[in-house]
Amino acid sequence: MLETKLILLYKDAAIKIEIGKEHFLCLSDLHIGYSPSNIIKIDSKRISVLFSEKIKDLYERTKSRNLIILGDLKHTIGRVTLNEQKSISLFFSQINSYFKKIYFILGNHDAYIQNFLPSNVQIVKRGFLLNKFYLMHGHTLPDPNIKKSNTIIMGHIHPLYSKENSPLNGQRVWIIIKLYLKQIYSSLTKQYNLIIMPTFNHELYLPSNYVLSYNFIGKNSPLLNRCKKDILSTKIISMEGVLLNET
């Protein structure tokens, strides 16, 4: 049995997974091509270079030769803009040599992106099992491989902290949930850990898909929406790794 280890790199919005001698770097929701409005434009090429530099730094610190992107590499839904195509090509040209394998789980923003990805990028349509970890974007229900895991890692939610008058109000956070999946697969009786990653894109100011209210916890997540009655506990953790709230 291979030894496994999961390390949350809080400040970096990344996770390192160790399985034996293989190391995997995991991140989510880059949203290359995002701008807050038609008036305020963010230079996508600058963002691509910035992200690639951050990933190179993470590669050097974690010694991970495998990269996992949990979806929403680009921002535009339903099409690929010329700007996104050029920026994503630039992004991969900067990081390709560092990783022997890149796994890319398609998100709801990633339509038609397959046409211009490098050959070493393995496309995953729904989710995949990595030893005892199941990785997915989060906009669909998981496939049956999740039954073999005990920890789920996903993005999509864009969790933000919401507390009036707090200096952290509106800041990215990590969410860790303990829950059952009996509402998805009735035969499953074991407890799962669900890790919801913050967006890797620190300039993303889209409304959070995660509302800190029990009634809306799963509004934009099929998994959470289906299993909200079977949530046992929820932890909200800052980008500094500080526990902000636990219910």
Side-chain angles (χ1 to χ4, degrees):
M1 190 73 174
L2 292 174
E3 182 180 354
T4 63
K5 190 175 182 180
L6 184 144
I7 303 168
L8 302 186
L9 305 171
Y10 291 104
K11 293 181 181 179
D12 301 298
I15 292 175
K16 180 185 179 183
I17 299 173
E18 298 179 6
I19 301 176
K21 294 183 179 179
E22 288 287 343
H23 295 180
F24 300 80
L25 177 64
C26 179
L27 44 92
S28 185
D29 293 278
L30 283 72
H31 285 270
I32 292 173
Y34 164 78
S35 288
S37 71
N38 291 328
I39 298 172
I40 303 172
K41 292 290 186 179
I42 294 175
D43 185 345
S44 295
K45 290 184 178 179
R46 176 185 66 82
I47 288 294
S48 294
V49 172
L50 175 63
F51 288 171
S52 62
E53 289 174 350
K54 286 185 174 183
I55 291 170
K56 287 177 190 177
D57 176 65
L58 284 165
Y59 159 80
E60 291 170 355
R61 286 194 279 127
T62 65
K63 308 301 180 187
S64 300
R65 292 299 314 281
N66 303 280
L67 176 65
I68 303 170
I69 301 174
L70 297 184
D72 286 0
L73 177 61
K74 70 178 187 67
H75 183 66
T76 307
I77 295 178
R79 62 190 178 94
V80 183
T81 67
L82 182 60
N83 181 44
E84 286 173 335
Q85 184 172 344
K86 290 179 178 178
S87 299
I88 290 169
S89 296
L90 174 63
F91 169 74
F92 279 113
S93 72
Q94 298 285 313
I95 68 167
N96 248 356
S97 61
Y98 290 88
F99 300 100
K100 65 180 183 181
K101 193 73 178 181
I102 299 176
Y103 300 89
F104 177 41
I105 301 171
L106 294 175
N108 52 306
H109 284 251
D110 295 318
Y112 306 110
I113 200 172
Q114 302 98 311
N115 299 330
F116 55 91
L117 295 178
S119 59
N120 68 324
V121 176
Q122 179 177 325
I123 296 289
V124 181
K125 291 187 177 180
R126 195 165 167 188
F128 80 103
L129 187 69
L130 188 63
N131 197 280
K132 62 182 180 180
F133 307 107
Y134 183 84
L135 300 105
M136 60 187 291
H137 178 61
H139 67 304
T140 63
L141 288 173
D143 65 43
N145 279 322
I146 200 169
K147 298 178 182 180
K148 302 173 186 176
S149 71
N150 57 28
T151 298
I152 307 160
I153 303 171
M154 77 179 208
H156 179 59
I157 301 294
H158 309 166
L160 302 175
Y161 191 55
S162 177
K163 187 175 183 180
E164 192 175 353
N165 300 322
S166 169
L168 294 179
N169 188 45
Q171 297 298 306
R172 294 176 298 162
V173 288
W174 293 77
I175 306 290
I176 299 178
I177 294 173
K178 289 186 181 295
L179 78 170
Y180 293 108
L181 301 181
K182 292 179 288 187
Q183 303 302 320
I184 299 175
Y185 296 106
S186 58
S187 61
L188 286 178
T189 58
K190 63 182 175 181
Q191 184 181 124
Y192 281 80
N193 293 312
L194 169 63
I195 301 172
I196 302 174
M197 299 186 67
T199 61
F200 191 73
N201 189 335
H202 63 285
E203 296 191 6
L204 191 65
Y205 294 103
L206 286 174
S208 171
N209 286 333
Y210 185 96
V211 181
L212 299 180
S213 163
Y214 184 79
N215 293 328
F216 298 101
I217 191 169
K219 183 177 180 182
N220 290 305
S221 166
L223 185 152
L224 289 175
N225 191 48
R226 186 77 65 88
C227 300
K228 61 184 177 183
K229 293 182 180 178
D230 289 325
I231 292 174
L232 303 174
S233 66
T234 301
K235 292 181 179 179
I236 302 171
I237 302 173
S238 76
M239 300 298 288
E240 300 296 321
V242 177
L243 180 64
L244 300 175
N245 190 37
E246 184 172 6
T247 56

